[in-house]
Amino acid sequence: MHALVYTGTQELVYREEKNPKVINGESIVKVFASGICGSDMHAYHGKDNRRIPPLILGHEISGTIDKGKFAGKKVILNPLITCGTCDYCTNGREHLCGKRIILGMNKPIERQGGFAEYVSIPNQNIYELPKTIDMKEAPIAEPTAVALHAAELGEKELSKPLKNSKALVIGGGAIGLLSGLILSKIKDCKEIVIVDPNEKRLGECSKYLDADSVKPDSKCVIDDHFDMVFDTVGMEVTRQQAIKAVKPGGVIIHIGLTQSSGPFDFRKATLQEVTFIGTYCYTNKDFEKTLKILAKKKLGSLNWIEYQKLKDGFAAFKQIHDGTCISPKIILLI
Ligand SMILES: [Zn+2]
Ligand SMILES: [Zn+2]
């Protein structure tokens, strides 16, 4: 099969690879579309110790079952593979399973990803594609589930409904925009500010999201003002903006993984009882709920997604790296 293989820092090669083998309890999916995630970019930059080259990246995948239980069915994959038997897995928090692994990772266990013609996946991770979801757009379900999970974790900690809360979203990438869309279209939140240093990216967000789309130094970003702050970037500077902007008793939701440490105003967090929530992936329930949201087109137009061919994947990664890609998400078509 053809695959886009991550071969070293900032290196991707489109080449011939062995087809995945049929394993008991798994199916082989003929991949139709596969989204480029921020975490694939971390790997590309050589900064992810769970993704070591050579490796086929990609975990936001739609396709058709080629071999296995549901052969011929159009599907969307939940790429988070868990043990199914531990305390977390049996109590609805399978995303925290100690044995979790995502497609397109090879530490601690190898799982080749979806930037390829075929991928193998356990049967329990396969969801039939709802008829109203376009196979091309379907990979957006994965990052949408991340945003939904994050918003609902934060919602539980708020002392008032989200629709009466003020939210700041830091970062206008896919997770930032999707977090904003979940807040606006699902949670009915009316006061949203989204910040990003890239003006073109902001312009793109403002077409689809009812929010103030501004640069990070805008006067719209008022100190001690927001009930909920999403840091979808996870850098020192964005965490500092988050703690400054959050209101006493407010919630910071930390989704980004760009920088793992750095100074943070713990004094304010303590004196003002700020809740800090780290969040990763989603539960199976979140994933199912996301498919329902997308099937009913509740997030509105997804025309902010850009499509490129898998064989041109190297160029797509480079455009994201260079900041010349304005759309918050590129999906590669196989
Ligand atoms: Zn992802
Ligand atoms: Zn488990």
Side-chain angles (χ1 to χ4, degrees):
M1 65 172 182
H2 281 98
L4 183 72
V5 186
Y6 164 51
T7 51
T9 302
Q10 295 187 36
E11 276 177 24
L12 290 160
V13 182
Y14 185 67
R15 69 184 187 197
E16 198 58 30
E17 284 286 300
K18 274 192 197 129
N19 279 36
K21 284 199 187 95
V22 182
I23 304 170
N24 214 355
E26 301 208 359
S27 296
I28 306 281
V29 178
K30 181 159 178 37
V31 180
F32 183 85
S34 205
I36 303 178
C37 178
S39 57
D40 295 318
M41 292 308 298
H42 290 310
Y44 169 81
H45 290 126
K47 286 185 183 151
D48 191 336
N49 56 16
R50 302 170 302 172
R51 294 173 168 98
I52 308 297
L55 175 68
I56 302 170
L57 300 167
H59 57 265
E60 305 173 354
I61 303 165
S62 68
T64 309
I65 301 291
D66 182 56
K67 291 190 185 85
K69 206 173 160 189
F70 315 104
K73 277 212 164 38
K74 288 182 176 170
V75 296
I76 169 91
L77 307 187
N78 175 347
L80 186 66
I81 300 161
T82 56
C83 82
T85 55
C86 74
D87 239 23
Y88 291 111
C89 284
T90 52
N91 286 291
R93 299 182 84 192
E94 40 318 272
H95 62 304
L96 301 179
C97 172
K99 290 187 177 149
R100 74 182 180 198
I101 181 97
I102 295 188
L103 291 181
M105 268 190 197
N106 49 7
K107 298 282 168 200
I109 309 163
E110 182 175 292
R111 270 283 171 188
Q112 297 291 341
F115 294 142
E117 284 181 272
Y118 296 96
V119 70
S120 183
I121 179 110
N123 290 331
Q124 65 269 24
N125 289 67
I126 297 171
Y127 290 83
E128 188 169 355
L129 187 72
K131 285 197 173 55
T132 52
I133 302 182
D134 189 326
M135 184 103 114
K136 224 170 128 179
E137 293 176 343
I140 208 65
E142 201 270 347
T144 307
V146 171
L148 179 73
H149 177 73
E152 294 195 337
L153 271 186
E155 189 177 25
K156 281 191 223 157
E157 300 300 323
L158 287 177
S159 53
K160 58 181 175 185
L162 253 176
K163 68 176 175 133
N164 302 327
S165 299
K166 297 183 185 75
L168 171 67
V169 178
I170 303 175
I175 298 292
L177 177 56
L178 285 165
S179 298
L181 290 171
I182 295 282
L183 289 172
S184 166
K185 303 206 182 240
I186 308 297
K187 303 294 178 184
D188 208 17
C189 180
K190 287 169 193 75
E191 287 186 62
I192 305 170
V193 176
I194 185 164
V195 299
D196 196 285
N198 183 331
E199 211 149 339
K200 287 184 184 155
R201 185 62 71 75
L202 286 175
E204 213 34 33
C205 289
S206 69
K207 284 192 219 160
Y208 301 93
L209 174 65
D210 187 10
D212 284 323
S213 306
V214 296
K215 290 207 165 179
D217 59 359
S218 158
K219 59 179 189 318
C220 294
V221 188
I222 304 163
D223 290 355
D224 305 315
H225 181 74
F226 296 92
D227 300 281
M228 203 187 236
V229 180
F230 288 70
D231 183 351
T232 72
V233 182
M235 292 174 71
E236 259 183 62
V237 50
T238 56
R239 279 188 286 272
Q240 283 170 3
Q241 176 159 53
I243 186 70
K244 251 181 122 180
V246 73
K247 154 197 256 196
V251 181
I252 294 174
I253 299 158
H254 194 260
I255 322 178
L257 282 165
T258 310
Q259 286 174 335
S260 55
S261 60
F264 183 77
D265 188 353
F266 290 103
R267 185 173 169 83
K268 174 174 172 183
T270 306
L271 293 176
Q272 306 295 352
E273 289 200 348
V274 171
T275 304
F276 183 95
I277 302 174
T279 169
Y280 181 72
C281 281
Y282 36 78
T283 65
N284 294 342
K285 265 197 183 143
D286 296 322
F287 199 84
E288 286 154 24
K289 206 167 162 182
T290 300
L291 291 182
K292 285 189 185 135
I293 288 172
L294 292 173
K296 289 185 183 156
K297 310 277 179 208
K298 285 192 175 174
L299 298 186
S301 162
L302 297 175
N303 286 346
W304 45 270
I305 302 172
E306 189 179 318
Y307 299 94
Q308 297 195 22
K309 291 198 175 108
L310 180 71
K311 69 174 174 55
D312 303 325
F314 175 74
F317 271 74
K318 182 126 180 24
Q319 281 166 27
I320 299 172
H321 168 78
D322 293 341
T324 54
C325 160
I326 59 161
S327 68
K329 172 66 76 185
I330 294 181
I331 290 180
L332 299 176
L333 302 175
I334 313 320

